[in-house]
Amino acid sequence: MTETQLPAVNREWHLVSRPVGWPKTEDFALVEAEVPQPGEGQVLVRNAYVSVDPYMRGRMSAAKSYVAPYELGKVMQGGAVGEVVASNAEGIEVGDHLLHFLGWREFAVVDAKQAVKVDPQAAPLSTYLGVLGMTGLTAYAGLLRTASFKEGDSVFVSGAAGAVGSQVGQIAKLKGASRVIGSAGSDEKVKLLVEEYGFDAAFNYKNGPVSEQLRAAAPDGVDVYFDNVGGDHLEAAIGQLNRDGRIAICGAISVYNSTEPVSGPKNLARLIQTRGRIEGFLVGDHYDLQAQFVQEVGAWVRSGELKYGETVVEGIENNLEAFFGVLRGDNVGKMIVKL
C-alpha cells in the first residue's frame, strides 16, 4: 500500500437526532475520529470539496424514500471529490483524484469500484460536483429525456438560479427553445438569470402570486416545466401549460420542511384539457447518458457557451451552515464546501 503523511484526526459530521420541520444545529454534531485506513480494494481520499444538496433533507427523516435515511450517530454522506492519499487498490495511485459519495468528512475510505477518476486538468475539481457532476446530469436528463424537450419549446424553470435550474435554462436555450422563463427568490438572482444566463424572462416569486407573474412572463403558455420547487409553482405551471405540455418533477424544496400534509395543485383537471403529462425522475436512473452529457456539456463549458455559478463555503466546520443556506436559497449555482 502506498500512502502520504496523514494528520491524526478526521473531522466528520454526524446526525444525532431527526429534525422536525426546519433542521436545527443541535440535530448535528461535528465529531473528531481517527483517520481510517483502507482495506483491500480501497483507497483513502482527502476530500477537497464536498457537496450539500436539498435532497439531503429527506435523508434526515426516517420515512421510506428512494434512498436510505442517514443513520443516527453515524457520519452522513454526500458527493465529494478529492485526492488519493493512500491506495490499496489496483489501478489507483496516490495523487489521483476521485469523485465519490462519502462527503461530510475530511477523509474517506472509499471502495475503488464506487469511485470515478476525474481529471483536474480538464476542469476545476469543484465542477465535478456541479456543472459536470450529478446536478448537471440531473438538468440534462430531466430536460431532454423526462420532459422530452424539443426545439421551439417554451420552457419554465423554478428555482432557476440554483445549480440544476440555471443549467436547465441554458441547455434549453442552446438546444433552441423559443422562450425560457425562470423564477428565483431575489431581484439579484432575477437579474443574474437574464443578464448572465440568457433567460428570456425571470421573476421574483416573492414579489407577487406566481400564477400572475408566470402568465405575464409566458403569455403564450409553456410547453415544458422543470419543477424544483413544487407548491404554487407547480399549480401555476399547470395553469399555463400548452397542449401536450410536459412537466418534469425534479424536486419540491418548498415542502421539504413541512410538518403538516401539503395540499396538491387545485387545477390537476386541466391536464385533461391540455393532454399534459407530469413525470417524476431520479438522476440515478439516467447514468447511461453520462458519457454523452460530459461530452456535450463539457464542450459548452470550455467554450463559455454554458456558464455556471458556485457558492463556495470554506471549512468542514461550516458544512452544516452551508446546508442550511441551500434550504434558505442563499446559493447562486452550486453550493460547495471547500475543505
Side-chain angles (χ1 to χ4, degrees):
M1 182 176 75
T2 56
E3 63 180 74
T4 60
Q5 188 67 33
L6 302 176
V9 173
N10 180 30
R11 290 182 294 172
E12 54 188 37
W13 280 98
H14 290 200
L15 183 69
V16 296
S17 60
R18 300 205 182 276
V20 177
W22 278 86
K24 301 181 294 296
T25 303
E26 51 265 36
D27 294 323
F28 308 85
L30 182 59
V31 175
E32 292 189 352
E34 290 186 5
V35 175
Q37 294 299 312
E40 189 67 31
Q42 295 182 324
V43 296
L44 178 64
V45 178
R46 185 198 305 266
N47 287 332
Y49 296 92
V50 299
S51 179
V52 287
D53 302 280
Y55 81 87
M56 294 174 174
R57 175 62 184 87
R59 296 196 68 183
M60 294 170 189
S61 167
K64 185 177 181 181
S65 185
Y66 60 88
V67 63
Y70 292 134
E71 294 184 58
L72 292 179
K74 294 189 177 180
V75 62
M76 295 184 289
Q77 300 167 353
V81 63
E83 182 180 356
V84 175
V85 292
S87 178
N88 213 358
E90 188 176 346
I92 298 180
E93 306 294 335
V94 169
D96 286 345
H97 291 82
L98 298 183
L99 173 67
H100 61 90
F101 290 94
L102 295 178
W104 290 83
R105 70 199 82 185
E106 292 177 304
F107 291 86
V109 165
V110 181
D111 290 335
K113 293 179 180 178
Q114 302 298 317
V116 177
K117 276 189 184 183
V118 296
D119 183 0
Q121 302 303 315
L125 274 180
S126 60
T127 62
Y128 294 105
L129 295 176
V131 65
L132 295 179
M134 185 176 70
T135 53
L137 181 59
T138 299
Y140 189 87
L143 177 69
L144 302 182
R145 179 176 279 173
T146 305
S148 304
F149 171 85
K150 60 184 184 297
E151 186 177 353
D153 278 344
S154 173
V155 178
F156 171 43
V157 188
S158 59
V164 174
S166 59
Q167 213 160 331
V168 170
Q170 292 184 83
I171 293 172
K173 291 294 291 183
L174 288 163
K175 290 283 191 179
S178 61
R179 188 167 176 79
V180 175
I181 303 106
S183 73
S186 73
D187 294 340
E188 292 77 16
K189 289 181 179 180
V190 166
K191 183 178 180 181
L192 178 76
L193 290 175
V194 175
E195 296 183 0
E196 181 74 12
Y197 294 149
F199 282 59
D200 296 290
F203 59 86
N204 181 348
Y205 66 83
K206 297 176 182 176
N207 286 348
V210 175
S211 58
E212 293 179 9
Q213 295 196 76
L214 178 59
R215 197 176 304 118
D220 296 323
V222 296
D223 302 299
V224 168
Y225 171 48
F226 192 104
D227 190 17
N228 291 304
V229 174
D232 55 355
H233 282 72
L234 178 56
E235 186 167 300
I238 293 171
Q240 283 300 104
L241 203 64
N242 288 332
R243 168 75 187 264
D244 298 316
R246 289 88 65 203
I247 296 175
I249 306 292
C250 175
I253 197 168
S254 68
V255 302
Y256 285 167
N257 295 306
S258 299
T259 57
E260 299 295 330
V262 178
S263 61
K266 302 180 183 69
N267 57 349
L268 281 175
R270 192 170 185 276
L271 295 174
I272 301 169
Q273 173 190 342
T274 62
R275 289 74 153 179
R277 169 168 62 85
I278 300 180
E279 183 176 346
F281 74 99
L282 294 173
V283 66
D285 296 333
H286 301 283
Y287 282 124
D288 61 299
L289 294 175
Q290 179 77 24
Q292 174 186 322
F293 155 72
V294 170
Q295 181 179 17
E296 188 166 24
V297 175
W300 287 333
V301 170
R302 286 190 295 274
S303 70
E305 292 174 277
L306 193 149
K307 299 175 175 62
Y308 65 94
E310 293 180 339
T311 300
V312 180
V313 173
E314 299 265 356
I316 187 70
E317 64 275 8
N318 295 315
N319 215 97
L320 183 60
E321 183 54 35
F323 172 68
F324 289 165
V326 169
L327 296 183
R328 291 191 300 261
D330 293 351
N331 55 303
V332 173
K334 183 75 184 76
M335 181 72 90
I336 294 171
V337 180
K338 181 180 180 181
L339 307 189

